[in-house]
Structure formats: structure tokens, C-alpha cells
Amino acid sequence: GDLSEEQEGIVIAHFGQLLNIEALEGEDKGEIHSCHVRANIESLVTGDRVIWRAGKDLTGVIEARLERQTILQRPDNFGNLKPVAANIDYIVIVIAPEPEPFQGLVDRYIVAAETVGIPPVILLNKTDLLTDENRKPIDDMMALYESLGYHTIRASVKSSTGDDSNKGMSELLDWLDQHTSVFVGQSGVGKSSLIQALLPEHDIRVGALSENTRKGTHTTTTAKLFHLPSGGDLVDSPGIREFGLWHIGEQELLEGFIEFRPHLGFCRFRDCHHEKEPKCAILAAVESGEISERRMDSYRRIKHAIADQNARGLMLR
Ligand code: GDP
Ligand code: ZN
């Protein structure tokens, strides 16, 4: 009747029952339609590819969800995993000289990325704030992640012309091109500033604010997909920026330290906690230098923090 042929689209935002679908093909390519979902489709999230039909006046109906390449999930209050965004290619973990990066926190973000199977990229922002005092520990940290095989980028939003900071921003743009990425990281590292610089037409903060007052606080948790003028997409929401601080299980934590993986399963005891056990393959790898002390310390810290969290959770229940 009033609906067009089936076509492919992408979820770029949602507002309650309605989803904004961008046409990916045909005459409507690039057009955004506010669509209903057929009742038989499981929850759709930003980044999902769908089959849909366009209706009149930029409306439409979503018929099916296409297979997801990746899915970012977060646990709800009951510990059930809920999808937050789909088809994310990179999790860009932003750090900066200020606020000072903590290895444990960065490792937590990396573990979370490894757990969902999305490659993390470590982005050092604010290179303009590097000094003789803070440079060494940051260089060491970046070198450690490079040695583990992670891609690292150094950039500065506040790049003064002539220094190598602009090179960093263009390296970042190249990396984001052709992919869908999210920015995560501690508050104050410059995520908003980066997004602002990459998407000059959008005022992310003002946008979030005005929506807030119009529709209530729940809108702030829904992710939106933005096209970068230079190519590639960004998915952003306050919830996504906190990705990695959500709950991690003990096994996920262990496997999230990629250099531990070749040693897992080789401890003498099957239920080894890799603490003081004899013939522990992980501890042996630390001893031989295959696993760095820093990463092992960080693993222990995160493990204890999780155990504390769980203990508190049990007491509340
Ligand atoms: P967010 O909390 O991660 O979103 O961080 P913001 O984008 O709000 O940035 C926090 C502060 O760092 C702001 O005052 C920014 O102006 C500043 N900032 C962001 N990027 C840079 C940078 O590359 N260099 C310097 N010097 N300051 C920056
Ligand atoms: Zn062990």
C-alpha cells in the first residue's frame, strides 16, 4: 500500500517506540525516517542494520534486523545483559596527561573491550600538556600497550599549528574512517572536545541538555550515530562513555588480559587463583618477564575491586 519496497537501513537513534532509520540505498539514501518496529523483532539498538520500508512523510516500518557483527552490552540492575549499540568496530579509550591516567582503569576499559570482542585503540589526548615530569610514565604506559599489540594514537584537540599535534588528529581521522567507533574514558580526558572537533556542526553537550529538558533524563542514555565529515561513524551517549566501568566477571577479567591467554590452563591446579599457588603458569610468566609486573599488579587490583563489589552486592541482597 503506502509503503515502499524493502530496503536496507541503519538505526541512528531511538525515541521510545520510534527509531530513526537512515536509508543506506536507493533514492532515499541518507534520508532519515521515523519508524515503527514490527512486533516480532527483538530489541533494536543504535548501529543495527535493518530491512525496512519507507512510508509517507519520512515515516516507515522496520521489517527485520540484520546480523550483528558486534554488540556492546551492559548489565541492568538485575545483572541481565542489555544491548546498547551494535556493529561497533573500535572502542577508542581516551587518556590524557590530565587527569592522570591510572593503569588499572585503562586496563579495565581494555578488558571490557576484549570481553565484547571489539578492538580497543588507546588515544592519548592533550599531548600539548606533556611535560618533563609527566612524559615518562605516559610514554611507558603507551609503550606497554603497543608491546601488547594495541594500536595507539597521540593527539591534541587544542593543537597549536606547526607542532606534531595536528598530525595526531589526522591520524585519528584516518583511523576512524570507514569504521564505526565509540569514545570511552575517564571524565575530563577530552571526549566531548574530541567529538566536538570531529563533528563541528553538532553541539553534543547543548544537544544532550535541551533533549534532557524536553523528554526527561532517560533520553540521555540512548546512543546516537553520527557521520564524520571525513568518513566513518561515531556512536555516542553518556552511557557508552562509561563503558568498561560496568560489571566484569572473574573469568572475563583473566581472558581480557590478552598476554595471559597463552598461559591459561597450564597451572598445576585447575582452580588456581594465580596468587601464591605453586606451578602457576601465570606467575611463572611474570617471573620470566613474558607478563609485565605492571599488568599483573593491575590484574590483581581489578580482581580485588570486583570481589569487593560482589561482597557488597551480596550484603545488600
Ligand atoms: P570529557 O569529560 O572526557 O568529555 O572531557 P572534556 O571534553 O569535557 O574536556 C575536559 C577539559 O579538557 C576541558 O576543559 C577541555 O577544554 C580540555 N581539553 C580537551 N582536549 C584538550 C587538549 O587536547 N588539550 C588541552 N590542553 N585541553 C584539552
Ligand atoms: Zn595459576
Side-chain angles (χ1 to χ4, degrees):
D2 287 343
L3 294 173
S4 75
E5 295 285 289
E6 285 190 342
Q7 54 172 314
E8 205 179 316
I10 185 168
V11 178
I12 61 163
H14 45 135
F15 302 94
Q17 307 282 49
L18 290 171
L19 291 100
N20 280 3
I21 299 296
E22 182 180 322
L24 290 176
E25 54 184 4
E27 292 168 19
D28 307 341
K29 191 167 188 250
E31 239 177 44
I32 295 163
H33 289 239
S34 178
C35 298
H36 283 282
V37 188
R38 289 252 188 267
N40 59 344
I41 307 178
E42 282 173 72
S43 70
L44 289 165
V45 291
T46 297
D48 263 322
R49 301 286 177 126
V50 296
I51 298 296
W52 68 293
R53 293 168 189 268
K56 281 190 185 135
D57 303 326
L58 300 178
T59 62
V61 177
I62 300 165
E63 305 272 350
R65 188 186 80 199
L66 297 175
E67 201 190 326
R68 288 167 171 161
Q69 302 304 310
T70 62
I71 182 76
L72 272 193
Q73 304 192 98
R74 73 168 300 167
D76 64 14
N77 292 336
F78 306 100
N80 303 312
L81 290 175
K82 288 272 181 295
V84 176
N87 301 317
I88 303 298
D89 300 309
Y90 296 128
I91 293 177
V92 181
I93 301 168
V94 186
I95 62 172
E98 284 175 35
E100 186 192 336
F102 293 106
Q103 173 106 35
L105 188 56
V106 182
D107 286 336
R108 227 184 139 127
Y109 288 119
I110 292 176
V111 168
E114 292 290 349
T115 300
V116 291
I118 302 175
V121 174
I122 319 290
L123 170 62
L124 172 67
N125 182 35
K126 310 197 195 182
T127 51
D128 58 303
L129 296 185
L130 285 170
T131 63
D132 290 345
E133 275 117 71
N134 65 22
R135 191 181 297 270
K136 174 83 167 80
I138 289 171
D139 279 349
D140 289 350
M141 191 185 274
M142 296 292 272
L144 172 59
Y145 291 129
E146 277 159 28
S147 75
L148 295 172
Y150 293 121
H151 188 76
T152 64
I153 301 173
R154 291 155 185 266
S156 168
V157 178
K158 297 201 176 147
S159 51
S160 48
T161 47
D163 69 8
D164 60 6
S165 306
N166 286 323
K167 215 175 74 192
M169 286 304 280
S170 57
E171 192 191 340
L172 175 62
L173 287 179
D174 285 348
W175 194 261
L176 299 175
D177 189 16
Q178 311 286 324
H179 295 94
T180 303
S181 307
V182 295
F183 286 163
V184 305
Q186 214 181 331
S187 166
V189 291
K191 296 179 297 297
S192 313
S193 310
L194 281 161
I195 293 169
Q196 200 69 55
L198 298 171
L199 294 169
E201 318 91 277
H202 295 265
D203 192 327
I204 306 287
R205 274 165 293 193
V206 171
L209 207 74
S210 56
E211 242 164 53
N212 231 340
T213 47
R214 264 191 290 128
K215 295 187 181 156
T217 46
H218 61 269
T219 15
T220 56
T221 58
T222 55
K224 285 192 184 150
L225 184 139
F226 303 95
H227 300 305
L228 298 167
S230 53
D233 294 333
L234 278 184
V235 173
D236 190 45
S237 76
I240 282 176
R241 291 179 187 193
E242 284 168 13
F243 174 76
L245 306 179
W246 308 338
H247 182 78
I248 307 170
E250 265 198 40
Q251 192 59 28
E252 289 169 334
L253 177 64
L254 207 47
E255 284 169 14
F257 281 72
I258 48 165
E259 72 276 40
F260 290 15
R261 288 178 191 175
H263 308 286
L264 295 175
F266 291 99
C267 302
R268 175 190 280 177
F269 301 112
R270 279 191 87 188
D271 63 345
C272 185
H273 295 293
H274 323 299
E275 277 165 10
K276 291 191 186 96
E277 288 87 345
K279 294 264 157 87
C280 166
I282 299 286
L283 294 177
V286 175
E287 196 67 33
S288 72
E290 277 177 85
I291 293 175
S292 81
E293 295 270 2
R294 294 189 58 170
R295 287 273 285 178
M296 190 64 198
D297 281 349
S298 176
Y299 165 73
R300 286 199 182 101
R301 266 197 219 119
I302 300 172
K303 187 174 154 184
H304 292 147
I306 292 172
D308 275 0
Q309 260 175 17
N310 289 346
R312 260 181 282 138
L314 285 174
M315 274 157 61
L316 288 175
R317 255 181 261 139

